[in-house]
Amino acid sequence: MQDLTVLTFILFICSWNCMVSGKSLLTNLMKQAETLQHGLDLASKVGDIGSHRNDVAFTAVPTSSRSYSSGSVLRFNSVKINHGNAFSTSNYRFTAPSAGLYVFSWSIATHKSYYGNSRLMKDGSTYHQTYCQKTYAQCGSTITIWLNKNNQVWVTSGTSSFYAYGTYSSFSGWKIH
């Protein structure tokens, strides 16, 4: 009879431990599920973490040197890179595929007989401009700009005509956020 009591006690202890262990395991699993859900909620608020679907970058150069009259769109018609296909060689414009913060950089190699006045245009308005003296020079700028989806950006000659060397001129842009 004493053996039966000891056996019953051992079974009771074992059952209790299994329940406690089971409850502890269930509690840990529930905490892990809550943590995972919190992480997923945070990721959905931040956006596509690790995604490259919003990446965009381009560099374009002119295929030849030429004179531009005042207000002419510079013909950056040879693309070195066009990740995201946002730059068009048919109209020499960048069209923002999504809203965000962008950087644009342009550099124009000028002839000594012309001033090197150029403008970065955003949807038809001057956003920024540069000026170089009548000399052989490299003129340009790098700017940061907020664009909404479908805003367009391009480079024009400024208030005077100038001659741009194709080999040494470029227009680049990329999205940073």
Side-chain angles (χ1 to χ4, degrees):
M1 183 85 165
Q2 188 177 9
D3 289 338
L4 185 57
T5 305
V6 172
L7 183 59
T8 304
F9 182 73
I10 290 173
L11 287 172
F12 174 76
I13 296 294
C14 181
S15 298
W16 178 254
N17 283 339
C18 290
M19 279 182 49
V20 170
S21 295
K23 188 174 183 182
S24 177
L25 178 62
L26 183 58
T27 302
N28 285 339
L29 288 173
M30 288 175 57
K31 284 184 181 180
Q32 288 176 355
E34 287 173 15
T35 302
L36 179 60
Q37 184 62 51
H38 177 70
L40 292 172
D41 290 344
L42 181 61
S44 70
K45 289 176 187 173
V46 171
D48 294 327
I49 296 174
S51 170
H52 297 286
R53 70 184 184 119
N54 288 326
D55 285 356
V56 62
F58 77 94
T59 294
V61 299
T63 54
S64 61
S65 301
R66 63 170 293 170
S67 294
Y68 291 94
S69 60
S70 177
S72 297
V73 176
L74 274 65
R75 296 179 183 178
F76 295 100
N77 54 1
S78 177
V79 173
K80 299 289 186 178
I81 186 169
N82 195 7
H83 184 71
N85 296 314
F87 183 80
S88 171
T89 55
S90 63
N91 64 6
Y92 319 112
R93 295 179 182 201
F94 172 86
T95 302
S98 60
L101 193 58
Y102 292 81
V103 174
F104 292 96
S105 181
W106 71 103
S107 182
I108 313 297
T110 60
H111 188 274
K112 71 177 181 172
S113 300
Y114 296 87
Y115 292 101
N117 186 287
S118 65
R119 294 180 177 169
L120 183 80
M121 306 298 289
K122 176 188 172 192
D123 291 335
S125 298
T126 301
Y127 186 82
H128 189 72
Q129 57 188 335
T130 63
Y131 178 81
C132 286
Q133 296 293 328
K134 273 190 172 181
T135 182
Y136 291 110
Q138 195 74 28
C139 298
S141 190
T142 300
I143 58 95
T144 305
I145 183 173
W146 179 268
L147 296 178
N148 291 316
K149 184 176 182 175
N150 295 322
N151 282 151
Q152 290 190 331
V153 174
W154 65 94
V155 179
T156 67
S157 58
T159 56
S160 63
S161 61
F162 71 89
Y163 186 86
Y165 288 103
T167 309
Y168 306 106
S169 301
S170 64
F171 179 35
S172 298
W174 56 95
K175 185 175 181 181
I176 58 174
H177 181 67

